[in-house]
Amino acid sequence: MTHRIDQTFAARKAKGQAAFVAYMMAGDPDRTVSQAFLNALPEAGVDIIELGMPFTDPMADGPVIENAGIRARESGTTLTSILEMAAEFRKTNDTTPIIVMGYANPLHHMGYAKFTAAAKAAGVDGAIIVDLPPEEDSELRTAFETHDLALIRLATPTTDAERLPKVVAGTKGFVYYVSMTGITGASFAQAGSVTEQVTRVRAASNLPVVVGFGVKTPERAREVAKDADGVVVGTAIVKTLHEDGPDAALALIRTLAEAVHTPRGG
Amino acid sequence: MDNPTETNTAFPDENGRFGEFGGRYVAETLMPPILELEKAYEEAKADPTFQEELDYFLTHYVGRPSPLYFAERLTEDTGGAKIYFKRDELNHTGAHKINNCMGQLLLAKRMGKKRIIAETGAGQHGVATATVAARLGMECIVYMGAVDIVRQKPNVFRMRLLGAEVRAVHSGTATLKDAMNEALRDWVTNVGDTFYCIGTVAGPHPYPAMVRDFQAVIGREAKQQILEAEGRLPDAAVACIGGGSNAMGLFHEFVPHKEVRLIGVEAAGKGVKSGLHAASLTGGTPGILHGNRTYLLQDEHGQIADAHSISAGLDYPGIGPEHSYLHDIGRAEYVSATDDEALHWFQTCARLEGILPALEPSHALPRTVDLAKELGKDGLIIMNMCGRGDKDVFTIADALGEHISEGTEG
Ligand SMILES: Cc1ncc(COP(=O)(O)O)c(C=O)c1O
């Protein structure tokens, strides 16, 4: 529901804060651990959850997320099990938005209409489908609109002034600004350069602007939060969960959340 | 039909669609460069100086036109229709791949891009890209699955000799599709200065149409040559299919000539029923991969299934979108051949014709022979001999249980 998303940003904005968006791969390393981790996110300070859906050919992801996807698929993760995880989460939490994130083919294979209805029923709020640019997303977008789900589009450094209005026009919930040209997990190219980029997106859209890709440390998260309405961390969380376990990952999330929630002071 | 260009340039539409196939399923970062490429290609296509430069290189560097050769002993042995080979294996670098590389890299030059990336399976596209990049003075990086690096060693060395950097891809199945993922990742990271030279009629629009256009020289020549040799069009044109570029190259000119059957041969690996194959049209369903909607090998959850073929160049779980379209409208027929059949006909062709075919066109041979029998002596077939087998000698020795030195080249 776009309504949960809107309320989340409004609540943070009222406090002069950015929202913290955390990415996790559903089903990594298995359903039980992953469900417990998902359920623990809001309490650790996560405002919006990006729930990764594994795909065999994740062409926009680096090795950390690709390998998490392999573990997830090997543990039996499917679209159906991911939506079951979301539904389970909703039994105890009715406020934190869940955005599923992945690639088009599994949805296309299930059928866009069927997926949309199932996602709605599971309490999912929106989706980011990396390989559905505006030119190709009308079928899924129409299905989403009938169920009041947000299909969130990506804007990138290559999205030029001519294209940007078209990209943001069809997006719902928020605009996801990919802060660099590259894949997930790569390092941030030029530190300190998001101000201009966020301003550029803001000028084209009234929606909150969330910045992702390349944010790994609390220092960087704090810096990006000065400009953006939301900050996404993915690879660092997935990596810590895999290497050091859920407690270490939740500890990282707490420091990241604290950094993102540092009041901007107007 | 008298005016072939009328119908066969009707596709794709302005959204890069061949019916319900094709399109541009890429991350937003790549949309602007893809639109830029489309524009640059359209301009180049309309510019006679670009065509002249391409023709010059095709003639003097690639060695076109390639002969249309009457495979007399194979024909006699079969006892059916006359079989002609379109001999694109005689091109510089030994396969049809260079037709496309020549076109794309001249386009890259025109666009001012100096860093070239490519994916390769059999290594033929990698070698062709490395070759043209060397000739045009460009930096070249080739992504290749780790599995393919082992089975196509001679080509890996060749690429290095030509000054290219070969990057091994270990992710996924470590074959062609993963090399393509990695090339797309490179492109997303280096969009500004990089030109991605895709090796087949797949990928996002405009690649399927552009690669087809650059390969269409095969069919244009073949049509003229068969008219000269036989005074009529063939009854059928046959080609193997990995992504489908040599097949589209041969078919394109004949698409409007409904009397010419178009037959694509996919790799059946250990047999389509075994599940270990690369026959996307015969054994797949429509889906989205690598920038386009097309027939794919996938499981019930929409995860891409592993392809299997003895031929690295055919070991791909998808097929170019135009083939999916020609299949669905019934204009082309798609059949398959197993690893064993390819091995058998590789050897037969070597002994009867003195031609070592690559493992890829070796797949087209058994279906060509079947068809020759079906058509009888009055029939006329053109088969695309799209590559030579030098690169495959180690794989073939292995499959035949013979041991030859791996330390030396070719
Ligand atoms: C000789 C040869 N034939 C065919 C292929 C398959 O590609 P396509 O179907 O695009 O012609 C390859 C690919 O590497 C090849 O090297």
Side-chain angles (χ1 to χ4, degrees), chain B residues 43-350:
Chain B
E43 283 167 12
K45 206 161 70 168
D47 179 354
T49 61
F50 178 80
Q51 202 55 54
E52 269 166 37
E53 192 179 15
L54 179 56
D55 287 346
Y56 172 85
F57 277 102
L58 288 178
T59 305
H60 299 283
Y61 191 65
V62 175
R64 303 210 70 92
S66 69
L68 183 73
Y69 160 76
F70 174 42
E72 192 174 357
R73 294 196 66 220
L74 179 65
T75 300
E76 273 169 19
D77 186 69
T78 307
K82 276 181 132 178
I83 299 169
Y84 278 81
F85 290 160
K86 178 60 176 164
R87 297 201 56 192
D88 259 51
E89 105 277 14
L90 293 177
N91 291 340
H92 182 36
T93 71
H96 66 292
K97 296 287 180 185
I98 197 165
N99 303 327
N100 167 45
C101 297
M102 210 62 248
Q104 285 201 47
L105 266 55
L106 286 175
L107 180 61
K109 188 179 89 169
R110 199 181 150 98
M111 292 172 74
K113 310 259 181 191
K114 287 221 147 126
R115 181 177 180 271
I116 307 298
I117 58 170
E119 84 295 333
T120 198
Q124 286 305 111
H125 175 60
V127 166
T129 309
T131 297
V132 180
R135 174 60 184 80
L136 299 180
M138 294 162 157
E139 180 189 355
C140 180
I141 292 153
V142 180
Y143 291 93
M144 187 167 186
V147 168
D148 293 338
I149 285 185
V150 172
R151 58 179 166 174
Q152 306 280 213
K153 262 188 203 158
N155 274 343
V156 175
F157 188 53
R158 236 173 239 141
M159 285 185 265
R160 295 201 173 117
L161 289 173
L162 290 160
E165 182 191 336
V166 180
R167 293 192 186 163
V169 178
H170 297 276
S171 61
T173 53
T175 60
L176 181 54
K177 84 174 171 71
D178 308 284
M180 196 149 178
N181 291 337
E182 212 54 41
L184 284 163
R185 288 172 181 142
D186 180 315
W187 199 20
V188 155
T189 308
N190 303 293
V191 275
D193 63 345
T194 298
F195 186 100
Y196 180 16
C197 180
I198 294 184
T200 191
V201 286
H205 180 63
Y207 285 99
M210 178 172 71
V211 176
R212 172 200 70 196
D213 293 350
F214 288 139
Q215 290 293 2
V217 65
I218 300 173
R220 277 198 305 274
E221 288 173 5
K223 182 174 153 190
Q224 198 186 341
Q225 289 165 321
I226 198 80
L227 289 174
E228 276 163 25
E230 297 283 342
R232 71 171 180 100
L233 292 177
D235 298 304
V238 185
C240 68
I241 299 207
S245 69
N246 88 85
M248 265 330 297
L250 178 64
F251 293 175
H252 189 56
E253 185 71 19
F254 295 111
V255 168
H257 298 282
K258 298 273 159 37
E259 67 275 27
V260 181
R261 285 169 67 183
L262 306 175
I263 299 171
V265 185
E266 299 189 292
K270 302 199 183 310
V272 173
K273 286 202 189 89
S274 73
L276 299 175
H277 62 87
S280 326
L281 274 175
T282 314
T285 48
I288 296 164
L289 179 69
H290 292 153
N292 66 89
R293 185 175 185 278
T294 192
Y295 277 82
L296 298 174
L297 301 181
Q298 54 186 328
D299 70 11
E300 71 269 32
H301 303 294
Q303 300 290 347
I304 305 307
D306 297 356
H308 291 270
S309 172
I310 190 172
S311 147
L314 305 184
D315 206 349
Y316 180 68
I319 182 169
E322 191 166 8
H323 287 293
S324 293
Y325 173 70
L326 293 174
H327 170 266
D328 277 18
I329 64 167
R331 176 63 189 94
E333 304 157 50
Y334 295 86
V335 293
S336 63
T338 63
D339 289 352
D340 287 346
E341 287 181 297
L343 273 170
H344 173 83
W345 285 96
F346 172 94
Q347 296 172 78
T348 306
C349 181

Side-chain angles (χ1 to χ4, degrees), chain B residues 370-382:
Chain B
D370 289 351
L371 183 67
K373 288 180 181 154
E374 180 194 320
L375 293 175
K377 290 204 188 286
D378 295 337
L380 188 56
I381 303 172
I382 298 177

